[in-house]
Amino acid sequence: MALSVKGKQIFKNGSLSSLPLFIDHGIVVSGNPESDGTVIFSDSYILPGFADVHVHLREPGFSYKETIKTGTLASAHGGYTAVCSMPNLNPVPDSVESLKEQ
């Protein structure tokens, strides 16, 4: 299924623009493929994925506060495509064995 996306601003090469956007079977493509439909956004922005290098996922040892699953799902929902977990865990990931547990 190919979609044409309209009514949005794309952040690319350091600035916002109204470049054409087409999605073909879940992949952003260039050109103008034959579209099965159009998705229209109002005052929306398309941005690259964000990265957070200070995340407390708290698993193992403190999963009552946060888990890897809940933390990464929340991150993905907010547009983050990369997160770096802080090592404040129990056991502390200071060896290959404890890192494998995480």
Side-chain angles (χ1 to χ4, degrees):
M1 174 179 217
L3 294 173
S4 171
V5 182
K6 298 185 184 232
K8 79 302 178 229
Q9 292 285 310
I10 297 175
F11 185 81
K12 185 175 180 181
N13 299 326
S15 64
L16 291 169
S17 67
S18 297
L19 296 170
L21 178 67
F22 303 97
I23 301 172
D24 191 9
H25 293 88
I27 299 172
V28 175
V29 296
S30 60
N32 191 358
E34 186 173 323
S35 179
D36 297 319
T38 301
V39 178
I40 300 174
F41 291 96
S42 177
D43 298 324
S44 297
Y45 299 94
I46 297 176
L47 306 168
F50 299 116
D52 189 344
V53 297
H54 189 119
V55 176
H56 296 272
L57 297 179
R58 306 291 190 172
E59 189 177 22
F62 304 99
S63 58
Y64 61 94
K65 295 181 180 183
E66 182 83 271
T67 65
I68 293 170
K69 180 178 181 178
T70 60
T72 55
L73 284 173
S75 297
H77 184 75
Y80 288 84
T81 58
V83 294
C84 299
S85 179
M86 296 291 102
N88 53 345
L89 307 171
N90 187 13
V92 175
D94 59 357
S95 67
V96 173
E97 292 79 25
S98 61
L99 188 59
K100 284 181 182 177
E101 185 177 340
Q102 183 185 5

